[in-house]
Amino acid sequence: MLPKLFALTRKTDNEAESVVGYGMVLPDGSAHSVSWPAQAGTSVYSTNSAEETAELRQADLLWLGDPT
């Protein structure tokens, strides 16, 4: 089984959506992500799931590629 990739997005004041992080879910279900863009200071997050990461970051979850 390959890792599942995701992006974390958030709407800005002008209603445009911007990416605030990228991550992956490993076969055991754990999620690991980094904040983006790097010039804003990089943070690394490790949680039990991508959904938990999105909630922690107050962001929307966007699966990249085939999420199955």
Side-chain angles (χ1 to χ4, degrees):
M1 180 185 238
L2 295 174
K4 298 176 188 176
L5 304 177
F6 63 89
L8 299 167
T9 63
R10 190 178 301 137
K11 289 192 178 180
T12 60
D13 292 337
N14 62 2
E15 293 300 311
E17 218 169 11
S18 63
V19 174
V20 296
Y22 290 100
M24 66 179 170
V25 175
L26 298 178
D28 69 357
S30 63
H32 306 276
S33 65
V34 294
S35 60
W36 186 260
Q39 66 264 30
T42 301
S43 297
V44 177
Y45 296 86
S46 295
T47 61
N48 293 319
S49 69
E51 293 79 11
E52 185 178 317
T53 303
E55 186 176 328
L56 176 70
R57 297 290 316 276
Q58 298 177 341
D60 296 314
L61 183 59
L62 173 65
W63 291 105
L64 304 174
D66 183 6
T68 59

